[in-house]
Amino acid sequence: MASTSHPDPGLVRRMCDVLVHRGPDGAGFHSDEHAALGMRRLAIIDVATGDQPVYNEDNRIVAVFNGEIYNFPELRETLISKGHRLRTAGDSECLVHLYEEFGVDLVHHLRGMFAFAIWDRDRRRLVLARDRVGKKPLYWRSDHASIRFASELKSLTQDPGMDREIDPVALHHYLTYLYVPAPRSIYQGVHKLPPGHVLVWEGGEITVDRYWRLDRSPRPVTDQRAEEERLRELLLEATRIRMVSERPLGAFLSGGVDSSAVVAAMAMQSSEPVKTFSIGFEDSRYDERHKARMVADRYSTDHHELVVTSNLLDTLPRLAWHFDEPFADSSAIPSFYVAQLSRQHVTVALNGDGGDECFGGYQRYALMDQTRRIPRIPQPFAAVLARTGTLVSERSAPKSLSQRLGRLMGFAAAHPSQRYARLISYCTPEQKSEIYSDRLRDLLAEVDSYRLLEEVFQASPAETDVGRVLDVDTLTYLPGDLLAKIDITTMANSLEARSPFLDHHLMEWAAALPSALHVRHGQTKLLLKQAVAPWLPQQLLRYPKQGFGVPLATWLRGELRELAYDLLTDDTARDRGLFRPAAVRRLLQRHMDGVDHSVRLWALLQFELWHRTHATPGTWSRDEVRCPLPQP
């Protein structure tokens, strides 16, 4: 059995690594199976008796669990009425008894965020499952004779039998999207269980099946006011069940519509002032504290703020440790700080995650809606337009009109089925090819990262482009980037995050709305804004969406300049043979000269930090994590 200790003990129901292998009788748990299922837990519900693992009455079914089941009171009543004897007062034990009743189909009865493992001793069967949206992580690897799984990738890497070889395709996708999309992980042979899936390991055979997907077939709407009222009811209920906690509870308040609506829903259902937490920056372009204060003042919350001025050179290595894979969404930095601030006062924090994906909040959705009639541009004109758009965008200030024009040119030049992938990617195929070593470029020549999103877009049952891109984001960007970021940054601070907008009942209701109630005539999040307008200051609803941005370009030219040069151009990086040193140095120099390459440099920097941190945890040694390339 492989196991690991974490330098930060604050883990909320985090499964440790577990080994299952076939014994002399054909299949079975490790001989030390109960010890293998040990885990650390930050108790939120059933603090007194909620230790894990949990067992059924005769100890033949055992489970470990990471997350929260919000409908556990109803589940307990149902199970007790069917004759089950429950030893604890919490949610974890429900899993083993639900498995007795429903087998693998128990997942359909759960409302919450979860990753769990169930061992059925009689059938010699292991069941792994992940929640519908992917709020909780679950990694696994198998050679069919054995299977290992964990909530953290660093736990699996403690197994001396695991070859820690980088998957070049995963690296290729990471540079495109800033995260490694499921089911791949950064290591060859290690997989992420995708959201809404169940894995069954039985007799050495593995099956992975999807058990949930949103149905975006639109239903007719005849009364918009009735829909607004129903949305408020659903959001209030989704918030209420996430306020159940035996520990102090609060909320992240960014000043956007989504987190503000959640705080309003909490305040209307709380007898005490809601504790709220906001992060700001000295750079006014990225500071939204004034918006958060409007909501805090309206509901008289117990409001706390922090301006991010801490030394990034101290923070980045810590983040690199907690992120088990390369991760280059720079909003992880303010997310980490707001979690750190919140944990000083509460143990559970609600947030507004998922509001954009459920109700059409990103401006790119409006762009997809407005440009759906652009005809396909034939080659070679499309190639010229794409190159011109890239040059214009790279030479423009962030969020400027010229940058948007450049991105629009590239968007128009793309094949219709690839437009959205190009729109949300951060490194184009041409830009990646420019920095790859010859061997890496040859190895990945036939790998198309855009194809990942294109396949989801084409498979979507939605009837409009807006509906299809909502599907794409719900299945890729939301679990791969946003939810991974919030889970890791909160867990690193012993804080549990809960997301009312990602309640699957609310999501299913929103998915069936006509796209025109989400995005229309360049306006986003139409129905949600109308629904929560009575709850929020009117001025707040008129602000454009800003996002959780950071002054990345400025940091890389200032405080992080020396770090970027040192890590990206030293012998350790050069000897790895993945990137062309001259191309990386040119990229750095162009950025310092005023051309914004901050996102690409950040992706390379985060990969390098990850590599040096996880090669041998706690050191910056090299050559223990390998990326095998064809020899010349």
Side-chain angles (χ1 to χ4, degrees):
M1 182 186 73
S3 63
T4 185
S5 60
H6 199 289
D8 238 329
L11 301 175
V12 182
R13 296 183 174 185
R14 305 288 279 183
M15 287 180 289
C16 75
D17 179 37
V18 178
L19 164 66
V20 181
H21 69 85
R22 285 184 289 176
D25 58 348
F29 236 35
H30 189 276
S31 59
D32 189 20
E33 63 193 53
H34 292 179
L37 283 169
M39 61 181 298
R40 294 176 301 278
R41 175 191 174 206
L42 174 64
I44 304 296
I45 300 294
D46 188 24
V47 173
T49 64
D51 291 341
Q52 296 188 39
V54 292
Y55 305 86
N56 71 333
E57 293 88 343
D58 59 10
N59 290 347
R60 292 184 177 275
I61 309 295
V62 58
V64 286
F65 163 56
N66 174 21
E68 298 286 350
I69 306 300
Y70 301 122
N71 63 331
F72 81 93
E74 298 89 340
L75 294 175
R76 285 178 56 84
E77 289 183 10
T78 300
L79 291 167
I80 291 171
S81 70
K82 291 178 177 289
H84 293 273
R85 299 191 310 275
L86 278 71
R87 302 162 180 165
T88 69
D91 53 354
S92 303
E93 194 181 2
C94 293
L95 294 174
V96 291
H97 299 291
L98 286 169
Y99 177 80
E100 289 181 288
E101 289 289 332
F102 304 108
V104 175
D105 287 339
L106 88 159
V107 290
H108 298 292
H109 298 267
L110 303 178
R111 184 178 186 183
M113 55 180 180
F114 54 84
F116 66 76
I118 293 177
W119 174 247
D120 181 336
R121 180 176 296 175
D122 290 342
R123 296 191 60 168
R124 310 309 244 177
R125 168 201 269 184
L126 177 74
V127 177
L128 305 178
R130 195 171 174 207
D131 66 67
R132 294 169 179 83
V133 192
K135 302 168 195 171
K136 289 298 173 183
L138 185 51
Y139 293 93
W140 66 276
R141 59 180 288 259
S142 175
D143 58 7
H144 295 290
S146 65
I147 185 168
R148 291 165 171 81
F149 60 93
S151 284
E152 295 189 282
L153 188 53
K154 62 172 65 70
S155 182
L156 293 183
T157 62
Q158 298 304 300
D159 178 8
M162 175 179 160
D163 292 327
R164 283 188 286 169
E165 293 186 349
I166 291 174
D167 179 352
V169 176
L171 174 61
H172 192 58
H173 296 335
Y174 158 75
L175 290 173
T176 301
Y177 300 115
L178 308 186
Y179 64 91
V180 178
R184 290 183 183 273
S185 82
I186 192 61
Y187 294 118
Q188 292 194 36
V190 180
H191 315 276
K192 300 187 191 84
L193 186 64
H197 281 67
V198 171
L199 180 151
V200 175
W201 184 91
E202 191 169 5
E205 296 298 321
I206 293 175
T207 58
V208 179
D209 294 307
R210 181 193 293 273
Y211 69 86
W212 183 83
R213 180 168 183 168
L214 284 174
D215 181 2
R216 294 196 181 273
S217 304
R219 56 180 170 79
V221 171
T222 57
D223 186 346
Q224 182 170 325
R225 291 190 178 276
E227 301 295 339
E228 293 169 9
E229 178 60 30
R230 181 57 178 154
L231 196 164
R232 288 190 290 268
E233 292 172 355
L234 287 167
L235 183 55
L236 283 166
E237 198 255 348
T239 302
R240 177 184 58 78
I241 64 174
R242 284 163 176 79
M243 294 173 66
V244 176
S245 173
E246 296 177 21
R247 296 295 185 91
L249 177 140
F252 298 160
L253 180 57
S254 69
V257 171
D258 304 332
S259 66
S260 299
V262 169
V263 168
M266 293 175 70
M268 286 184 273
Q269 301 178 95
S270 176
S271 59
E272 302 289 336
V274 177
K275 296 181 185 296
T276 53
F277 307 95
S278 298
I279 291 295
F281 294 92
E282 292 176 330
D283 188 332
S284 60
R285 294 173 300 170
Y286 300 92
D287 192 19
E288 293 189 283
R289 285 175 295 156
H290 62 290
K291 301 178 188 177
R293 288 177 197 143
M294 294 181 191
V295 179
D297 291 345
R298 177 162 182 157
Y299 289 100
S300 301
T301 71
D302 180 8
H303 190 57
H304 305 265
E305 294 182 350
L306 174 70
V307 177
V308 176
T309 57
S310 300
N311 188 349
L312 291 168
L313 297 178
D314 293 334
T315 303
L316 292 183
R318 188 174 180 186
L319 283 175
W321 165 259
H322 287 293
F323 280 89
D324 288 352
E325 299 184 270
F327 187 83
D329 183 341
S330 59
S331 66
I333 295 172
S335 296
F336 179 83
Y337 282 122
V338 76
Q340 191 175 65
L341 170 66
S342 303
R343 188 59 182 91
Q344 297 173 20
H345 305 272
V346 301
T347 313
V348 178
L350 275 63
N351 60 56
D353 285 355
D356 291 312
E357 290 76 15
C358 287
F359 293 98
Y362 298 122
Q363 196 59 41
R364 59 182 182 254
Y365 299 153
L367 181 60
M368 288 293 296
D369 182 54
Q370 292 172 321
T371 58
R372 65 187 183 277
R373 295 186 180 87
I374 294 179
R376 182 178 178 182
I377 300 174
Q379 294 289 356
F381 302 109
V384 173
L385 185 62
R387 285 196 297 270
T388 303
T390 298
L391 291 172
V392 171
S393 180
E394 287 183 349
R395 285 163 171 72
S396 303
K399 300 183 180 180
S400 64
L401 179 61
S402 59
Q403 186 189 62
R404 292 173 184 169
L405 176 61
R407 291 177 68 87
L408 180 60
M409 292 168 68
F411 178 77
H415 187 280
S417 62
Q418 288 192 340
R419 281 176 179 160
Y420 192 64
R422 279 190 169 269
L423 185 64
I424 67 170
S425 65
Y426 295 90
C427 287
T428 66
E430 297 80 14
Q431 290 168 338
K432 289 189 291 185
S433 180
E434 180 184 350
I435 62 171
Y436 283 166
S437 66
D438 291 342
R439 285 182 290 153
L440 186 59
R441 185 190 300 120
D442 292 344
L443 181 66
L444 298 171
E446 302 302 320
V447 179
D448 182 3
S449 293
Y450 292 158
R451 186 65 186 164
L452 295 175
L453 270 58
E454 185 180 1
E455 289 174 351
V456 178
F457 186 93
Q458 292 175 341
S460 171
E463 296 181 359
T464 65
D465 281 353
V466 169
R468 294 184 189 102
V469 296
L470 286 170
D471 241 0
V472 169
D473 277 358
T474 300
L475 292 170
T476 58
Y477 173 66
L478 179 65
D481 186 315
L482 297 184
L483 296 183
K485 174 188 68 180
I486 200 66
D487 181 67
I488 291 170
T489 56
T490 54
M491 293 294 95
N493 288 286
S494 303
L495 183 74
E496 177 168 290
R498 298 178 179 177
S499 309
F501 278 108
L502 294 178
D503 184 277
H504 77 274
H505 293 173
L506 176 57
M507 294 182 72
E508 289 169 350
W509 177 84
L513 291 169
S515 293
L517 289 182
H518 296 314
V519 178
R520 186 169 66 243
H521 304 315
Q523 300 297 311
T524 60
K525 217 179 293 187
L526 292 170
L527 184 68
L528 177 62
K529 290 178 180 177
Q530 289 294 323
V532 300
W535 295 357
L536 302 180
Q538 290 304 298
Q539 185 179 356
L540 188 72
L541 295 169
R542 292 192 291 269
Y543 280 116
K545 182 176 177 60
Q546 187 166 329
F548 220 1
V550 299
L552 193 57
T554 302
W555 286 351
L556 285 168
R557 293 188 184 109
E559 183 177 356
L560 299 180
R561 177 187 176 118
E562 186 175 350
L563 177 70
Y565 269 101
D566 285 349
L567 289 186
L568 297 182
T569 65
D570 70 0
D571 289 343
T572 301
R574 295 166 65 95
D575 292 348
R576 205 166 284 129
L578 298 175
F579 308 114
R580 295 170 57 209
V584 173
R585 187 171 286 278
R586 275 198 306 272
L587 199 64
L588 281 162
Q589 190 57 53
R590 289 203 298 259
H591 181 76
M592 303 310 164
D593 291 341
V595 180
D596 188 4
H597 291 296
S598 57
V599 175
R600 276 193 283 165
L601 288 172
W602 189 253
L604 293 172
L605 182 61
Q606 292 307 306
F607 172 76
E608 194 62 38
L609 279 167
W610 169 83
H611 199 296
R612 300 187 192 208
T613 300
H614 291 276
T616 302
T619 75
W620 283 43
S621 67
R622 63 189 233 192
D623 296 333
E624 302 228 1
V625 177
R626 301 178 298 280
C627 187
L629 300 175
Q631 296 301 311

